[in-house]
């Protein structure tokens, strides 16, 4: 029985005025409003998305 590693992220800055691809990445991570949090599987793809918009989110 293996357990999946997860990472929790929170949107702390508004994506208004950012590139369209960065806004799409925020939505892809499941974040909608400010202070919303999402718990995701820790995969290289998710890590890349987090790295791309690191100035908008906080890893909890």
């Amino acid at each position: 029985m293996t357990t999946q590693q997860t990472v929790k992220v929170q949107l702390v800055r508004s994506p208004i005025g950012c590139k369209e691809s960065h806004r799409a990445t925020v939505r892809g991570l499941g974040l909608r409003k400010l202070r919303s949090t999402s718990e995701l599987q820790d995969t290289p793809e998710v890590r890349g998305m987090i790295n791309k918009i690191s100035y908008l989110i906080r890893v909890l």
Side-chain angles (χ1 to χ4, degrees), residues 2-60:
T2 62
T3 58
Q4 292 287 337
Q5 294 290 334
T6 60
V7 61
K8 198 177 224 182
V9 294
Q10 180 180 33
L11 186 64
V12 294
R13 215 175 135 207
S14 174
I16 295 174
C18 295
K19 291 182 178 181
E20 187 62 39
S21 64
H22 289 205
R23 276 187 248 158
T25 303
V26 169
R27 296 291 295 129
L29 288 175
L31 302 170
R32 291 182 176 259
K33 298 179 178 183
L34 286 179
R35 308 287 186 247
S36 65
T37 60
S38 184
E39 192 165 346
L40 307 156
Q41 290 183 1
D42 193 10
T43 63
E45 293 83 3
V46 170
R47 285 286 176 166
M49 293 170 77
I50 290 171
N51 197 25
K52 182 177 183 178
I53 59 166
S54 62
Y55 64 100
L56 295 175
I57 62 173
R58 178 185 308 145
V59 178
L60 302 174

